[in-house]
Amino acid sequence: MVNLSPCILAVATLLSAVPLTAQAGDGHDHDGLFAKAALDRLEWTSSKGVATLHWEGEASLGGDEDKAVLLSRGTMAEDGDFDSAEVQVLWSHAISDFFDVRTGVRGDLAPDPERTAWVFGISGLAPYWIETSASLFVGTRGDVGVRLEADTDLALTTRLILQPSLELNATSKDDRQRESYGGLTSLEGGLRLRYEVTPTVAPYVGVSWERALGETNGRGDSHRHDDETTSLLAGLKLMF
């Protein structure tokens, strides 16, 4: 059995990291340090009558140039089992006004078996206000993975925001226990329409699409995932 306590703790940390320092400066710069957190996605998806819960968030503590970053993401199935649960602990360093380089460690707590990898990446704001992230994962099995992410906010009104997103994943080696095979493994897209009730609370609805690629396509275990899935979703974005 996978010990999911660290994953649950990571999500709780995302929600509690900021209030601990907000007392000192109400979220603003204080003695060179500031803290912030965002639960970018806490959403329920439905596809072919099957519902899942997905979360994705980030918390950071540090200064303008260097900070510690905690990332957490995962998916819980309708029966309460975790399809995926990932935590990253990173050190982030600004290399320009718009981009940071990041390095640290990633732990995949689900599905079985657990995996650990070193992380090297870059994230920031590309032209046309596109949030981008490129991550390289070097695993303890000698495998190398790549994840590319991009999303942007399109303001329809001062409160109504449309957010398209895209994610591409690849790996260098087969991982038969996790039904992942060398090469491009998956492509995910999403379109979310959110309403910012306040600057920190924004419910949203949308649609997501995921497709297995390369050798992974057509070789998945049907009880875990389909090779192509389109889902309706509803969620909440929280910013601190």
Side-chain angles (χ1 to χ4, degrees):
M1 287 293 291
V2 177
N3 180 11
L4 293 173
S5 297
C7 181
I8 297 172
L9 178 60
V11 176
T13 302
L14 285 168
L15 298 176
S16 62
V18 168
L20 294 176
T21 57
Q23 297 176 358
D26 194 26
H28 298 287
D29 199 349
H30 182 75
D31 293 335
L33 293 177
F34 62 90
K36 63 179 181 179
L39 192 55
D40 293 313
R41 297 178 188 172
L42 179 62
E43 62 189 32
W44 292 261
T45 65
S46 177
S47 177
K48 301 179 181 179
V50 178
T52 58
L53 173 67
H54 176 78
W55 78 88
E56 188 170 335
E58 175 177 337
S60 63
L61 175 64
D64 291 332
E65 291 190 358
D66 296 283
K67 61 178 76 70
V69 178
L70 173 68
L71 304 178
S72 179
R73 61 188 291 177
T75 303
M76 186 173 68
E78 196 172 21
D79 58 7
D81 291 335
F82 285 82
D83 288 335
S84 63
E86 172 189 319
V87 176
Q88 295 185 37
V89 180
L90 308 172
W91 187 257
S92 178
H93 176 73
I95 56 173
S96 73
D97 292 338
F98 298 102
F99 281 92
D100 296 346
V101 292
R102 292 177 169 182
T103 185
V105 65
R106 165 183 165 180
D108 289 355
L109 307 179
D112 285 331
E114 297 183 9
R115 298 284 190 238
T116 304
W118 295 106
V119 182
F120 306 91
I122 184 170
S123 66
L125 191 62
Y128 304 104
W129 305 100
I130 300 175
E131 291 283 351
T132 60
S133 175
S135 300
L136 181 71
F137 307 107
V138 181
T140 55
R141 300 167 49 251
D143 54 311
V144 178
V146 175
R147 178 185 294 161
L148 305 176
E149 300 172 87
D151 65 69
T152 189
D153 286 347
L154 305 175
L156 305 182
T157 70
T158 55
R159 291 179 180 266
L160 198 60
I161 310 296
L162 184 65
Q163 183 190 60
S165 63
L166 196 64
E167 178 180 315
L168 178 66
N169 289 279
T171 185
S172 65
K173 295 178 63 176
D174 293 353
D175 189 348
R176 298 179 184 275
Q177 292 174 298
R178 290 195 165 192
E179 302 166 5
S180 177
Y181 298 86
L184 296 175
T185 57
S186 67
L187 178 65
E188 302 176 28
L191 193 63
R192 294 167 175 82
L193 180 66
R194 72 177 185 268
Y195 182 79
E196 296 186 346
V197 179
T198 71
T200 59
V201 178
Y204 62 85
V205 294
V207 61
S208 64
W209 171 84
E210 180 178 359
R211 180 176 177 81
L213 301 176
E215 291 296 318
T216 303
N217 190 345
R219 299 175 68 172
D221 186 347
S222 60
H223 82 270
R224 177 177 292 177
H225 61 76
D226 294 327
D227 292 320
E228 183 171 350
T229 304
T230 301
S231 304
L232 298 177
L233 59 89
L236 187 66
K237 179 175 182 176
L238 301 173
M239 296 158 282
F240 302 91

